[in-house]
Amino acid sequence: MRVSIIGATGETGQSIIDGLLKSTEPKYVGYHGSHSSCFTAKARGAGPPKKKGIHIVAADLEGPEDALTEILKGTDVMISAINAGNLMAQIPLINASKAAGVGRFIPCFFATIVPPKGILKLRDIKEDVLNHVKKVRLPYTAIDVGWWYQITLPRLASGRIDYATTLVTDGIGGDGNMLSAITDVRDIGTYVARIIADPRTLNHMVFAYNELITQNHVYDLLEKMSGEKVKRNHISVEAIKAGVAQMEASNLGPESPEFYELIRFQYWHSWAIRGDNTPEYAKYLGYLNTKDLYPDIGFIPFQEYVQEVLVGKGKSVYEKSEDLKPLKVE
């Protein structure tokens, strides 16, 4: 199986590359002595991943679709892990994938469970992309993974875990008792490696997650394991709804830094107030569940991740992002 990936230098893309190369069932090997390729767009600022068995191909998503088609010929699975600011750039990639005879297209979803339209602007855009996939009748699988461990922990007063946390995580939505699915970003690739080789997942949405947890449980666990008291900044339902209204009234798009200031309210509204990010709601929306499909898959427990962070072995995500700024809520 030949697999091509765009966005391989990002957090999700790197996890997918690692998952493919580490997979033993099914087994993926490199392209050019290989069956797996890494496909990166010229527009990305970061350099390509330097990993054994990866063939790097430069491509311009704003260039002629015929050129993309030539690159994609022979590809069995095309995975998009493109950044949020360029989601609509997947349209020419979809057209080229169709023309090249790609067997399965994986659009860039890889987030929380959200209704198709009207709750989260990013999801609205992703649905537009998926609709285009269906319009051209390109085989697909859409994969969501819940909220990442790496953006779940709050900061400690001592500052000892600041290196591994982002300001986007400060604040508890509502009363903090809503269950929500979470996944270690490092496990995403493990799930993807199984999903893309499974005929049962073709033309379906799949929910791949590790654990269910409430924000209050996250804080309780961190306090217990760190021995420190954690300040709890509850964001009221009223404040969240006001932020959602401001977002809906704006004309901001994902290319704007202000977009990410406001979209946090939509995320809070979805998974902390509405309770969307659960396997039950995913099932209602028609998702398949990796817990049912692959009960043998292991994953990194959240408690193990917390311990890694506390002993200095964690890693921050979005380290170079200028879009994730402190969220100020009155």
Side-chain angles (χ1 to χ4, degrees), residues 21-296:
L21 294 180
K22 292 176 182 177
S23 175
T24 57
E25 183 57 42
K27 184 173 179 59
Y28 299 87
V29 292
Y31 171 53
H32 278 334
S34 82
H35 293 289
S36 175
S37 66
C38 171
F39 174 47
T40 59
K42 288 181 179 177
R44 291 195 60 86
K50 297 179 180 178
K51 297 181 183 290
K52 184 178 179 180
I54 299 298
H55 176 56
I56 309 300
V57 180
D60 185 359
L61 294 183
E62 296 180 351
E65 288 183 9
D66 288 348
L68 291 176
T69 300
E70 285 301 314
I71 291 172
L72 290 172
K73 284 183 177 179
T75 294
D76 297 298
V77 180
M78 175 69 233
I79 301 174
S80 174
I82 201 167
N83 65 41
N86 291 299
L87 289 172
M88 292 307 293
Q90 293 174 99
I91 299 300
L93 186 62
I94 291 165
N95 294 337
S97 295
K98 176 65 176 180
V102 170
R104 187 188 307 226
F105 187 87
I106 313 297
C108 187
F109 273 51
F110 302 111
T112 56
I113 298 298
V114 185
K117 287 279 189 173
I119 296 296
L120 184 70
K121 278 197 172 184
L122 272 178
R123 180 58 179 240
D124 292 350
I125 299 170
K126 291 177 180 181
E127 288 292 334
D128 290 340
V129 171
L130 182 57
N131 283 341
H132 189 75
V133 169
K134 295 175 179 178
K135 177 183 176 181
V136 301
R137 301 188 183 187
L138 178 63
Y140 73 92
T141 302
I143 304 169
D144 274 317
V145 298
W147 198 251
W148 294 358
Y149 289 4
Q150 284 75 9
I151 51 176
T152 295
L153 290 178
R155 292 173 296 170
L156 292 173
S158 65
R160 62 191 280 204
I161 66 171
D162 282 1
Y163 78 96
T165 60
T166 60
L167 295 178
V168 71
T169 59
D170 282 353
I172 297 174
D175 63 12
N177 290 322
M178 189 68 73
L179 281 171
S180 181
I182 56 174
T183 299
D184 193 304
V185 68
R186 294 169 293 180
D187 288 322
I188 293 174
T190 302
Y191 290 120
V192 170
R194 292 288 289 273
I195 291 168
I196 65 173
D198 189 344
R200 296 174 297 174
T201 62
L202 190 63
N203 298 329
H204 285 285
M205 298 183 294
V206 181
F207 190 26
Y209 70 97
N210 287 5
E211 300 182 15
L212 288 170
I213 200 167
T214 68
Q215 283 189 285
N216 284 334
H217 187 189
V218 169
Y219 279 64
D220 291 343
L221 182 63
L222 184 58
E223 286 184 343
K224 179 180 179 180
M225 295 180 67
S226 68
E228 296 186 38
K229 190 70 177 175
V230 183
K231 180 180 178 181
R232 305 198 182 201
N233 175 31
H234 285 268
I235 313 302
S236 70
V237 174
E238 292 74 21
I240 290 172
K241 288 185 175 179
V244 168
Q246 186 179 354
M247 181 63 168
E248 291 175 347
S250 76
N251 291 318
L252 297 172
E255 70 284 349
S256 167
E258 290 79 12
F259 178 88
Y260 300 94
E261 288 289 324
L262 293 175
I263 202 168
R264 296 165 189 171
F265 289 103
Q266 290 190 321
Y267 270 116
W268 269 326
H269 181 232
S270 174
W271 59 258
I273 307 303
R274 286 175 46 89
D276 292 333
N277 189 38
T278 65
E280 292 78 16
Y281 190 54
K283 182 178 181 180
Y284 169 79
L285 292 174
Y287 282 79
L288 302 179
N289 190 322
T290 53
K291 302 291 187 189
D292 300 324
L293 294 171
Y294 321 113
D296 60 308

